[in-house]
Amino acid sequence: MAINYTEHFAGCIRGIKKEGRYRTFATLERIAGRFPQAIYHAPDGSKKEVTIWCSNDYLGMGQHPKVLAAAHEALENSGAGAGGTRNISGTTRYHVELEESLADLHRKESALVFSSGYVANEGALSVLGKLMPGCVIFSDALNHASMIHGIKDSKQEKIIFRHNDVEHLEELLKEVGPARPKIIVFESVYSMEGDIAPMQEICDLAEKYNAMTYLDEVHGVGLYGPRGGGVVEELGLLDRIDVIEGTFGKAYGCVGGFITGDAAVVDAVRSFAASFIFTTSLPPSVLAAAKASVEHLKVSGVERQKLRQNVKMFKDRLAAAELPFLRGASHIVPLIVGEPTCCKEVSDLLLREYDIYVQPINYPTVPRGTERLRLTASAAHSLEDVNRMADVLSDLWQNNHALRAVA
């Protein structure tokens, strides 16, 4: 019998709906100058104002006057589009200036901008592995999908070490011949767990076993370090990490990704990464906005201080109420629900009854049985926002028997 293609794919969707992990999008309209407030456009056509509690715009830089002004100026000067790939007609002075700013941020020789953080990881890791025959890539068990994709595309041997387990990592390193090229690939802040990598110890192992280090700082750049260089800067380890990858889509409030490192390494990625070579480049307005954000956070600690204040207050309130959140050292607060349908129901209830927007996080983003709300108290939230969110969650957990049973 001939396959009915439409019915086949409809069956795939029915399967994830049955598991309770079918994802729906909430249509939001951010309000310039008023983040984290947004207009929610409901399916029935109605609209209401809501408070966002799951955004990666951790510092509210997507609304910062300097960032908006830079985007407007570049748009007026150079128009909307990029004109092509970087190799053909898409390299602008905005690319060059941004890459110079990023190299300075991480005290590296060179930097390269990509269309997204995902593309940066996929492109860089695939090239680094491919260009070193016999390379072994050691990957943290909780590394992001983009890193996994890049490692897979490198077609080199991959060895997974237990999450943040340096003893396990050393056991695995010992088993590989000293002459073989090695890359240790890990993140600074793990966004679904809220914890931070033992970076000092990983650097020690890399030097001991002559391995390159590749660090994903997407949830750290802008937020940590005296100039926003990330956790790596805060720990004083910039000179011990070979390649640092980051994004403009989170704390910098824009879009795009990048890597920094030695000039030869970055040039190799530029010259061989298909995801860079064949992708239309970012437009001038985005690049100018990103540079304005990076440069501002190099000299301003106000946003980082406000973020830390809000996060501490929020965690203290949740701890006092004995809510089941993961108590990592970062700014991210994963609140464990533990069941996909219940997680979605909590998210829907917050939006419907309390005008609070939080998306549920289900499998495959997190393991089954660990479904959660990934909460982010940003620098843009007021103390009233933080206290109200804590009050609402405390009330839900204390008065909802189904939630207590799952948690």
Side-chain angles (χ1 to χ4, degrees), residues 59 296-297 299-309 379:
L59 300 178
H296 174 78
L297 290 174
V299 297
S300 174
V302 174
E303 294 82 5
R304 288 188 283 273
Q305 183 178 359
K306 181 66 188 305
L307 176 83
R308 289 188 175 94
Q309 178 186 6

Side-chain angles (χ1 to χ4, degrees), residues 128-136 156 179-181:
L128 293 176
K130 284 176 183 175
L131 294 183
M132 293 191 290
C135 180
V136 182
Q156 301 292 351
R180 292 186 68 180

